[in-house]
Amino acid sequence: MSVTYIHNIFTRSIPIIAGALQELIFWPSSIEIKKRLPIPFRVRYKNVVSIIDCLEIEIEKPSNPIYQAMTWSDYKKCNTLKFLISSTPDGMITFISGAFGGRASDKEIISQSNFLNELPNACAVMADRGFKQIDFMLAKKKLLFS
């Protein structure tokens, strides 16, 4: 098989696979999340409905210098695309953002991805230390940051 043939199969298949898997990404109710809360979470993190992190995927260096600058990641030291991913405490994926250039900060991605609009009221979000300066964004929506 030629490279072109494989490329064509891959290019046609990915949207079909993505469409089928998209149905598996949804927000369960807060009650359902609490029912499935792992035992270590139940005392200290009972209001956590979302654990977030950004995934960076290395890409080929774009030929356009503007795109090179937009996708450069100082953290990875290469050109990347970043995605915000949210899961429930028991590991169910609930949100995947669109792609952002590697230069985008976690704060920018959260504000531009509509992630905060997906969250129920009076819940908590858990994130690592890399998510600096998002606590005020969560507080504006009456959400907690763990």
Side-chain angles (χ1 to χ4, degrees):
M1 288 188 232
S2 71
V3 173
T4 304
Y5 180 70
I6 299 296
H7 176 268
N8 289 340
I9 291 172
F10 184 78
T11 304
R12 279 182 280 169
S13 300
I14 289 297
I16 295 166
I17 294 168
L21 294 177
Q22 185 65 36
E23 295 176 21
L24 300 175
I25 300 172
F26 65 93
W27 280 94
S29 70
S30 295
I31 294 166
E32 286 297 317
I33 292 172
K34 286 188 185 209
K35 271 193 226 175
R36 293 183 173 89
L37 208 59
I39 292 169
F41 274 68
R42 291 183 183 174
V43 174
R44 290 187 60 196
Y45 306 110
K46 64 181 177 243
N47 292 326
V48 172
V49 298
S50 175
I51 301 172
I52 58 172
D53 204 358
C54 280
L55 168 70
E56 277 192 85
I57 299 173
E58 185 175 350
I59 60 170
E60 188 175 310
K61 182 179 176 180
S63 56
N64 184 321
I66 293 171
Y67 296 146
Q68 286 178 23
M70 289 172 54
T71 60
W72 179 256
S73 169
D74 282 332
Y75 178 69
K76 296 279 188 177
K77 303 293 185 223
C78 60
N79 296 91
T80 65
L81 292 177
K82 280 175 103 170
F83 298 86
L84 175 68
I85 299 179
S86 165
S87 73
T88 60
D90 68 340
M92 184 177 136
I93 302 293
T94 54
F95 181 85
I96 301 176
S97 72
F100 290 82
R103 181 171 296 253
S105 70
D106 295 342
K107 179 182 162 188
E108 287 175 71
I109 294 172
I110 285 178
S111 67
Q112 294 177 20
S113 68
N114 291 323
F115 168 71
L116 297 177
N117 297 333
E118 300 286 334
L119 294 168
N121 292 331
C123 71
V125 175
M126 184 178 279
D128 66 19
R129 291 175 225 187
F131 284 85
K132 297 176 178 129
Q133 303 171 346
I134 67 162
D135 46 348
F136 81 93
M137 295 167 65
L138 294 169
K140 278 184 7 185
K141 303 232 359 140
K142 296 185 171 86
L143 304 169
L144 304 170
F145 184 57
S146 294

